[in-house]
Amino acid sequence: SKITRAISEQIGKQEESKIVIRTCMNNTLSSNDPCMAFDNESIKILSNTHRGLLTSGLYTDVLPALAKSWYVEDDNITWVFNLRRGAKFHNGREITAENVKCSFERIVSPELKSPNAWFLSPIEGADSYQNGNTGDVSGIKVLDKYKLSIKLSKPDSGFLLNLAQPCCSIIDTDDAKSGCITGCGPYRLTKDSNGEYTLEAFPDYYGGQPYADSIEIKYNESDAVGGFNEGKYDFVILSNNNGVQNLENSNLKTMDVLMTSYAGFNLKSGSIFAKNKDIRKAVNHAVNKKRIIDEVQRGMAVESKGVFPIGMMDNKHLKGFEYNPQLARELLKKSGYTSQSNKLAILGWENDTGIKTNDEKVVDYIIEDLKAVGIECRIVKVPAKGYLSAENIKNCDMFISDWIADTGDPGNYLEPLFTPGIYTNFCCYENSEVTDMMAQAKRIANPEKRVEIYNSIQDIIVSDVPWLFLYHPKTAYVSKQNIDGLRLNPLGRVRYEDIIVTKK
């Protein structure tokens, strides 16, 4: 077959014919430390330069990574992991169980303040360590050089999925102390210059050297389609239909991703928008989501009626907030809203490129629709980097964001968004009933009962209206005819190590 021949050709390739794959991304890395990054664009790259005990496959399944096998003991809370012998960091050092323990303790350490620490909070003693009350995480035990156990504080149905996420990658913590992030994935990030990242294949990768020698990724690309047509890129991933009609290629594929785009209310702002749920409902009824989908996303999205994305939960029972400006005006009048003293402060971006991003276009549409029902807005502009910092959100009433599933598990999807005190709960949402139900759902093994409780949780959240519910995006990807093995999973990620370049 073509793929078999390609593999044989690449195994026997000569040094002078290095295989380079070129692509692009919309933004830059928010961090090269997987423990600190939580935005989707960064994770797309870091998932290829780092690995943890486990990893995810084409879908949201759990696969062996540094752990070649694992099992749970009779208590149903103690997991034992057997590591691969000879697996190496990018600096050549062998990875041991001690490295795993140090990496996990670094993630939940009070010094790092990782926004992803919640992934490991189910481990016994993680919270005490994070609060500075203990010297280590008591639930992590090194049994020998290649074996360790992780004891949870209680059964958790989604814990293994957590371990498969890039933020739970194993890094050389000694290097990290000097500011160098050294991972163990199939590629190494070796260069950042001239608006481009270069990823070089790691020859000692435990899974075997990748087919492509290097991946070159142009960042802040505003015209991916044009670049593809010009032959600059071997494949591109598109978040909307801009320019798709101009593609000089029929190899275009479209799919849903497990993602929700929303405008979040700062529920701690003290403003009338934070205090009055009916006004938040009015905002939802005032904004024409279909227009945003048609004109900004170019049809590559589905209107959001709730929190969960398409493919994770069946949201058919949800009514959502239909576009109804008259109802919005009635709700505002009933609530006693006046625009003179209650302008909606929306967090925006400093942008000197002269080209508006899709998020900026969404803000424009929101402002226009809200003005039509009597809500005046003002934009608070901040640098794009650190946009969702607590300091920035504190100074606004609303911000633009999206959330993509880490694992495909509904509990994992909800917890970082709606648990009080977690960094990624940008709305500062707090409902004790929701918190208790989320904890209860994690202990339920029966999948049908879990679905029932998550549906109930979603109903409560929607009724609290912490968001302006916008849409669930679709994504598309296109590649040259000589690219094989390119697959996009429901989380929007590509495994670069699987990509094969055949002869033209």
Side-chain angles (χ1 to χ4, degrees):
S1 71
K2 182 170 67 171
I3 292 179
T4 302
R5 291 198 305 273
I7 293 173
S8 299
E9 291 164 1
Q10 292 190 33
I11 290 175
K13 67 182 181 291
Q14 297 180 354
E15 283 297 321
E16 62 267 21
S17 58
K18 285 188 67 175
I19 295 175
V20 180
I21 295 175
R22 296 176 176 84
T23 187
C24 62
M25 61 190 289
N26 296 328
N27 302 310
T28 59
L29 285 171
S30 62
S31 173
N32 69 340
D33 185 344
C35 304
M36 298 303 293
F38 58 84
D39 62 292
N40 192 40
E41 287 289 274
S42 297
I43 292 171
K44 285 178 182 178
I45 291 184
L46 299 179
S47 63
N48 287 285
T49 56
H50 293 272
R51 281 292 183 271
L53 285 177
L54 308 174
T55 190
S56 56
L58 183 56
Y59 298 99
T60 54
D61 47 342
V62 171
L63 301 175
L66 293 175
K68 66 177 182 179
S69 64
W70 61 91
Y71 62 88
V72 64
E73 293 186 344
D74 293 340
D75 61 5
N76 201 33
I77 56 174
T78 302
W79 290 89
V80 178
F81 297 88
N82 299 300
L83 303 188
R84 299 176 188 273
R85 294 171 184 259
K88 295 179 180 179
F89 286 118
H90 293 156
N91 57 20
R93 296 172 187 158
E94 187 182 22
I95 300 167
T96 67
E98 187 64 35
N99 294 127
V100 177
K101 178 178 172 63
C102 290
S103 291
F104 285 175
E105 288 182 338
R106 176 178 180 269
I107 294 171
V108 296
S109 67
E111 294 80 17
L112 189 65
K113 294 181 173 60
S114 167
N116 298 306
W118 68 271
F119 278 91
L120 299 181
S121 62
I123 300 176
E124 183 180 82
D127 289 342
S128 294
Y129 182 72
Q130 189 174 19
N131 293 330
N133 298 326
T134 56
D136 67 353
V137 178
S138 60
I140 305 176
K141 302 291 185 186
V142 174
L143 304 180
D144 65 35
K145 188 175 182 180
Y146 303 107
K147 188 174 186 176
L148 78 156
S149 67
I150 299 178
K151 185 178 181 180
L152 309 184
S153 55
K154 55 182 175 291
D156 188 324
S157 57
F159 181 66
L160 290 185
L161 291 169
N162 289 2
L163 293 186
Q165 301 317 301
C167 63
C168 294
S169 296
I170 309 307
I171 67 169
D172 188 324
T173 53
D174 288 335
D175 281 2
K177 291 173 185 175
S178 60
C180 179
I181 304 300
T182 304
C184 56
Y187 286 91
R188 296 174 289 185
L189 178 58
T190 59
K191 187 178 178 182
D192 173 10
S193 64
N194 299 319
E196 186 173 275
Y197 298 120
T198 300
L199 276 58
E200 296 287 345
F202 179 42
D204 292 328
Y205 174 54
Y206 68 81
Q209 185 168 345
Y211 300 123
D213 296 291
S214 64
I215 313 289
E216 295 179 355
I217 306 166
K218 184 77 174 177
Y219 53 80
N220 288 333
E221 174 58 88
S222 60
D223 185 13
V225 169
F228 182 82
N229 286 339
E230 294 169 11
K232 289 165 55 179
Y233 306 125
D234 296 293
F235 74 89
V236 293
I237 299 173
L238 308 170
S239 58
N240 58 51
N241 266 336
N242 285 340
V244 166
Q245 69 276 9
N246 300 320
L247 270 173
E248 299 168 4
N249 186 295
S250 60
N251 195 23
L252 178 71
K253 297 178 182 178
T254 305
M255 65 179 292
D256 293 315
V257 288
L258 298 178
M259 186 176 188
T260 303
S261 294
Y262 67 95
F265 291 99
N266 173 11
L267 299 177
K268 294 291 186 183
S269 69
S271 73
I272 194 170
F273 301 98
K275 295 175 181 178
N276 195 309
K277 182 164 63 174
D278 282 340
I279 292 179
R280 298 198 296 274
K281 287 181 180 179
V283 170
N284 271 275
H285 287 298
V287 175
N288 188 344
K289 279 84 104 177
K290 185 178 185 303
R291 184 171 70 134
I292 292 174
I293 291 170
D294 290 343
E295 298 182 17
V296 179
Q297 290 298 113
R298 302 298 178 96
M300 281 183 55
V302 175
E303 186 172 334
S304 170
K305 295 182 178 181
V307 176
F308 290 118
I310 293 171
M312 181 176 289
M313 296 283 284
D314 185 354
N315 287 343
K316 290 179 181 177
H317 72 287
L318 293 175
K319 293 182 180 179
F321 297 93
E322 81 279 7
Y323 175 53
N324 190 334
Q326 182 55 39
L327 177 57
R329 293 186 189 96
E330 291 172 3
L331 287 167
L332 290 172
K333 185 176 180 181
K334 177 183 174 183
S335 303
Y337 174 82
T338 58
S339 61
Q340 289 82 2
S341 57
N342 293 291
K343 283 191 176 183
L344 179 70
I346 303 178
L347 198 64
W349 302 263
E350 295 174 356
N351 182 353
D352 57 4
T353 66
I355 302 173
K356 287 197 173 184
T357 66
N358 282 351
D359 283 341
E360 288 176 303
K361 293 175 184 176
V362 169
V363 169
D364 287 344
Y365 279 95
I366 290 172
I367 291 174
E368 184 179 330
D369 287 344
L370 293 183
K371 185 175 182 178
V373 300
I375 298 176
E376 295 292 334
C377 302
R378 63 184 179 89
I379 298 179
V380 179
K381 291 190 176 183
V382 298
K385 192 167 186 176
Y387 172 79
L388 289 175
S389 70
E391 187 62 31
N392 286 340
I393 291 176
K394 184 175 69 175
N395 295 317
C396 76
D397 302 314
M398 176 183 281
F399 56 90
I400 303 297
S401 185
D402 50 48
W403 192 255
I404 191 164
D406 295 300
T407 66
D409 178 77
N412 178 282
Y413 196 82
L414 289 177
E415 185 175 345
L417 292 169
F418 301 109
T419 300
I422 286 185
Y423 180 91
T424 46
N425 180 357
F426 302 118
C427 289
C428 298
Y429 176 86
E430 189 167 350
N431 184 317
S432 58
E433 185 180 7
V434 167
T435 303
D436 292 343
M437 290 174 72
M438 286 194 295
Q440 177 188 346
K442 292 171 73 171
R443 297 191 293 268
I444 296 175
N446 185 305
E448 291 183 2
K449 289 184 177 180
R450 290 187 81 221
V451 168
E452 288 178 8
I453 195 168
Y454 283 126
N455 274 327
S456 298
I457 293 171
Q458 179 173 225
D459 290 344
I460 296 171
I461 293 172
V462 171
S463 70
D464 286 338
V465 206
W467 294 353
L468 162 54
F469 298 90
L470 294 174
Y471 52 83
H472 305 298
K474 295 176 179 287
T475 193
Y477 57 105
V478 63
S479 63
K480 292 181 178 178
Q481 297 297 332
N482 68 322
I483 297 293
D484 279 311
L486 175 66
R487 299 290 185 272
L488 194 69
N489 76 2
L491 309 181
R493 302 172 196 165
V494 172
R495 285 166 57 97
Y496 295 155
E497 64 190 286
D498 295 337
I499 301 176
I500 300 167
V501 182
T502 63
K503 280 190 173 180
K504 296 181 181 180

